[in-house]
Amino acid sequence: MKRFAPLILTALAACSTGEHPQAPSATPAAEARSAPIAFPSTYHAAPSGRVAVVGATVLTATGAEIANGTVLMAEGKIVAVGAGLAVPDGYATVDGRGKWVTPGVIDAHSHLGAWAQPETVEAVNDVNEMTDPNTAQVWVEHSVWPQDPGFDTAREAGVTTMMILPGSANLFGGRTVTLRNVPAVTMQEMKFPGAPYGLKIACGENPKRVYGAKGRSPMTRMGNVAGYRKAWIDAADYARRWDKWEKGSKADDPPKRDLQMETLAGVLKGEILVQNHCYRADEMANMIDIAHEFGFRISAFHHANEAYKIAPLLVKEGICVATWASWWGYKMEVYDAIEENAPIVHQAGGCAIIHSDDPIGIQRLNQEAAVALSSAWRAGMKIPKADAVKWFTANPAKALGIADRTGTLEPGKLADVVLWSADPFSIYARADRVWIEGNTVFDRADPQYRRHSDFTLGQAGATP
Amino acid sequence: MIRQMLMAAALIAAAPATAETVAIVDARILTMGPAGEIANGTIVMRDGRIVAVGPMVAVPPNARVIDGKGGIVAPGFIQADSTLGAVEVSQVPPSADRATHSAAISAGFDISQGLNPDSILLPVARLAGITHAVTAPLYDDRSGRELQFAGQAAVIDLGQQPEMVTRPRVAMVIEMGEGGAERAGGARGAAIVQLRETIADVRHFMRNRAAYDRGAGRPQPLSRIDLEALIPMVEGRMPLIVKVDRASDIIEMIAFARAEKLKIIVDGGGEGWRVAAAIAAAQVPVVVDPLADLPRSFSEIGATMDNAAKLAAAGVTVIIKTGSGVAHRARELRYGAGNAVAWGLPFDAALAAITINPARVFGVADRIGSLEPGKEADLVLWNGDPLEPLSRPLALFIKGRQMPLTARPLELRDRYMKAVP
């Protein structure tokens, strides 16, 4: 455990990764007037050495499967990946023979920290601000408890990055946050530098049930849609008022900031990515029409169990599909879920993601992908493992807006790497070592790396 | 090739069930019985039963022969702690018959009645090699918070015939620990006292049935239905499934069972590994979810992926389940077993934990759970390791009937896959 204190606290003065603003596409001036950088990331990668993993089968998540591969990491970045590369001087060698390497696992849909363990304890459940159908003003990062033991078990399973979402009780649940899975005391120490925010939108049964039960709108799907449209009308108006002030003399006082409208306007400006909980094909089509009406993009449909029914539409719109293979049947909107959902989207040329929405499931995204891949093979879709690995690495990175930094093993990308004991599509594979920016954050052979949560410390029966 | 085999299987199953002799040849057979593993053998089924299994079995001349192609034959899996047959859509109450919140019936609730052989969940679970389930009642806490027992579990088969109950009333179900405490007013001690009092009531009722029938004698808080249902349990003939996780709760229930001469099965047992020796000494089986490795509650602080392996190593009879009360996700059972193997449980023990162990513990090992002559022909031919996601069944038999490897989700797949190049 002591090992982690210097890892987190040692700041690199010259580290560029720790200083990015949260909305990289916004101009500094715009941020200064409307949204000063709030809750900036204090995450810093510790200085990392040079590591060469040799002899493993490498799935790069760019479509390649490399036998007897070498992965070179230095200064937190991937330097080179290839078959049988010579290891340059100064690299510590890790024997990967008989093992497999993938990029760090990325979960596009997690509630870790916000709906923390012990999950039966209401005191640590801060995921749904169920007080109004529109709570776009809340930021889930303010609910994140970094001591959630679920972060530890996810890290032991190779998860290096995840997006935490609020909701789904509300039409607009609030802002998401993307975290690096490092042991930390504050959320800011985990916050992925430069990762764009997301806005959680929820379709369907959850918002209509929650508010219908309270005798207020929405209590139907048409009520849901009316609620979204009203909010976008208000947001467009808010954005116009700011634009007018911005383009004018700025002599008058600026409009008053409104946190709810600020988030929605951020979507209209393309700075905040829409992460839309939406199961049914017909509802996804409605949401696409709303996006067209108000001129924004949807980054990903989450859960999206009926994506297979409209795969060409989703491909045309460039919307990722984050889904499971196994979950179905717990409510009507998942009655038509099929294991082949992600593969069918993939085969249509789309961006398919296997996500968890679950503290147990996040530990086995590779296995869930294996279930989806198996269903593809059963159906005659010849998808190679080298492509299916993208479902829990490259594609979630794309949906989260961080694909330029992580998600594949390519030179220049962050050295987020997992060394698996076996083929990650095998039920028997376990993450043996996990690196985030070239730093070991988990090593199965070293008990110091297990269970860092303060909550589990000193508890009876807590495992080492 | 695979699709041709599936279509052939569908045609066979669509035909009327006839007294057929079927032989699967050239397969590795994991019998889970005294014959152990047969590296390359033949298994012969006739009239719904296994008639021969071994390396040197002659194929009867009238037999339909299935080429195992070096695949693996294993007994059909048994999902313990399931609600298969008792639910269609979890959040649609009229489609679910897995729980009652009636104040008039708790222990008397017999889930073996009112099951639906046409449930679309059964073919889905079969695609994962599951041929049987222990369908167990859940609590419905909409009202009747004082409810003590969830009701009685049954072993069912997934053959989609009206006679789907393999054995009814195999166990009584109760939640103790945190859940029991909540129903007893907020304390574990209160739940234990209440359970002891209930048992005393049942014993009193048994001794004074004539007086009860005359409307005389001590008033009973339980309905007659509940009192009658509890008799086999208090006599130690029907096991009591006790849902507990905390190590101290497990120890408490073992002592309670010894004092009251009850037969118990621990369900959950998240911290079971910490008291594995005591559980083994008491010969109490444990139904575990191997994936439960988080402190979901203060009763599961010590939850770990090693639980199943450590329990088995201590000599406990381990049964693996996935989740609790699962129906839709029952098909993940084999992955739960596979993960237990990855965390130290020997492969054979993991397979036993989803076949012969639940069969023995729930009193149906004379019929199912292993591949032995005389037992029902409930078995699956796999194209590889049955615990691996990338493996899948090529043929599946329930009571000797070859079942179609189709399901509504596959029909949905086929309807929409046409649109995808």
Side-chain angles (χ1 to χ4, degrees), chain B residues 30 48 56 95 131 145 179 200 242 252 271 274 312 342 348 397 403:
Chain B
L30 311 176
M56 306 291 281
S95 82
T131 58
R145 302 289 286 182
V242 188
E252 193 97 49
E271 294 191 342
R274 295 182 56 209
D348 289 349
F397 292 80
M403 303 301 299

Side-chain angles (χ1 to χ4, degrees), chain B residues 119-359:
Chain B
S119 166
I120 66 160
L121 282 73
L122 304 183
V124 172
R126 283 200 308 255
L127 291 172
I130 297 171
T131 58
H132 290 79
V134 180
T135 290
L138 299 179
Y139 286 102
D140 185 330
D141 283 338
R142 278 183 295 177
S143 62
R145 302 289 286 182
E146 76 288 351
L147 193 70
Q148 267 199 327
F149 298 93
Q152 300 162 75
V155 177
I156 66 162
D157 75 55
L158 277 50
Q160 295 200 287
Q161 298 289 298
E163 61 283 7
M164 66 192 294
V165 179
T166 307
R167 194 182 161 211
R169 299 177 293 282
V170 294
M172 188 67 69
V173 179
I174 195 168
E175 193 174 318
M176 294 296 281
E178 279 186 23
E182 190 185 348
R183 288 182 191 86
R188 283 168 161 83
I192 292 167
V193 168
Q194 198 178 330
L195 180 57
R196 184 173 291 121
E197 182 67 7
T198 297
I199 290 167
D201 284 346
V202 175
R203 295 202 161 113
H204 178 83
F205 168 76
M206 290 162 67
R207 287 191 304 269
N208 299 282
R209 193 182 247 124
Y212 184 98
D213 287 343
R214 287 195 309 273
R218 188 172 113 186
Q220 296 289 356
L222 294 182
S223 69
R224 182 183 189 119
I225 296 167
D226 287 346
L227 289 166
E228 292 281 3
L230 288 166
I231 291 171
M233 184 198 90
V234 303
E235 290 181 339
R237 291 183 282 120
M238 173 191 275
L240 174 64
I241 296 174
V242 188
K243 299 195 177 198
V244 283
D245 284 293
R246 200 168 82 178
S248 61
D249 288 332
I250 297 169
I251 293 296
E252 193 97 49
M253 291 316 300
I254 288 173
F256 184 90
R258 187 180 297 124
E260 296 288 346
K261 298 186 170 56
L262 305 181
K263 191 154 78 173
I264 61 167
I265 300 164
V266 166
D267 184 4
E271 294 191 342
W273 63 275
R274 295 182 56 209
V275 289
I279 299 171
Q283 296 185 299
V284 170
V286 183
V287 183
V288 296
D289 175 359
L291 307 186
D293 68 342
L294 287 170
R296 263 190 79 248
S297 67
F298 275 95
S299 300
E300 296 155 86
I301 295 291
T304 168
M305 293 294 292
D306 299 315
N307 195 22
K310 286 176 172 165
L311 285 166
V316 176
T317 298
V318 171
I319 294 171
I320 285 174
K321 64 170 182 176
T322 44
S324 194
V326 295
H328 298 90
R329 297 182 62 192
R331 61 186 176 185
E332 297 167 51
L333 177 63
R334 60 196 186 104
Y335 311 138
N339 276 288
V341 173
W343 264 263
L345 185 67
F347 177 87
D348 289 349
L351 210 56
I354 55 175
T355 56
I356 190 64
N357 289 1

Side-chain angles (χ1 to χ4, degrees), chain A residues 270-287:
Chain A
E271 295 163 6
I272 294 176
L273 307 179
V274 170
Q275 308 292 347
N276 195 164
H277 158 126
C278 207
Y279 292 92
R280 257 174 33 185
D282 55 320
E283 285 196 275
M284 287 188 261
N286 285 341
M287 298 311 287

Side-chain angles (χ1 to χ4, degrees), chain A residues 19-32 34-41 139 141 175-176 191-198 262-263 265-267 269-273 400-402 405:
Chain A
E19 309 299 333
H20 281 230
Q22 290 307 300
S25 56
T27 64
E31 280 157 4
S34 65
I37 294 170
F39 314 97
S41 170
W139 297 20
E141 64 195 66
R175 286 198 196 197
T176 71
K191 203 168 176 178
F192 197 121
Y197 278 110
E262 206 165 88
T263 294
V267 171
K269 283 194 282 184
E271 295 163 6
I272 294 176
L273 307 179
L400 271 50
I402 52 175
R405 311 276 300 281

Side-chain angles (χ1 to χ4, degrees), chain A residues 336 363 374 426-428 430, chain B residues 293 339 342-343 385 388-389 408:
Chain A
D336 286 1
Q363 301 174 45
S374 183
S426 165
I427 204 81
Y428 306 118
R430 298 167 69 178
Chain B
D293 68 342
N339 276 288
W343 264 263
D385 179 344
E388 284 281 20
R408 184 175 173 276

Side-chain angles (χ1 to χ4, degrees), chain B residues 20 22 24 43-51 74-76 131-132 367-380 396-403:
Chain B
E20 186 186 34
V22 181
I24 302 176
I43 185 162
V44 180
M45 302 167 256
R46 185 187 302 134
D47 298 334
R49 293 191 182 275
I50 296 165
V51 292
T131 58
H132 290 79
R367 294 173 61 182
I368 63 170
S370 62
L371 305 178
E372 300 176 55
K375 282 204 178 183
E376 290 175 6
D378 300 294
L379 54 91
V380 184
L396 181 146
F397 292 80
I398 294 178
K399 285 191 270 192
R401 289 173 61 240
Q402 187 165 2
M403 303 301 299

Side-chain angles (χ1 to χ4, degrees), chain A residues 159-179:
Chain A
V159 176
T160 53
T161 300
M162 66 241 134
M163 184 165 70
I164 312 299
L165 298 92
S168 51
N170 299 340
L171 299 178
F172 298 94
R175 286 198 196 197
T176 71
V177 67
T178 297
L179 300 179

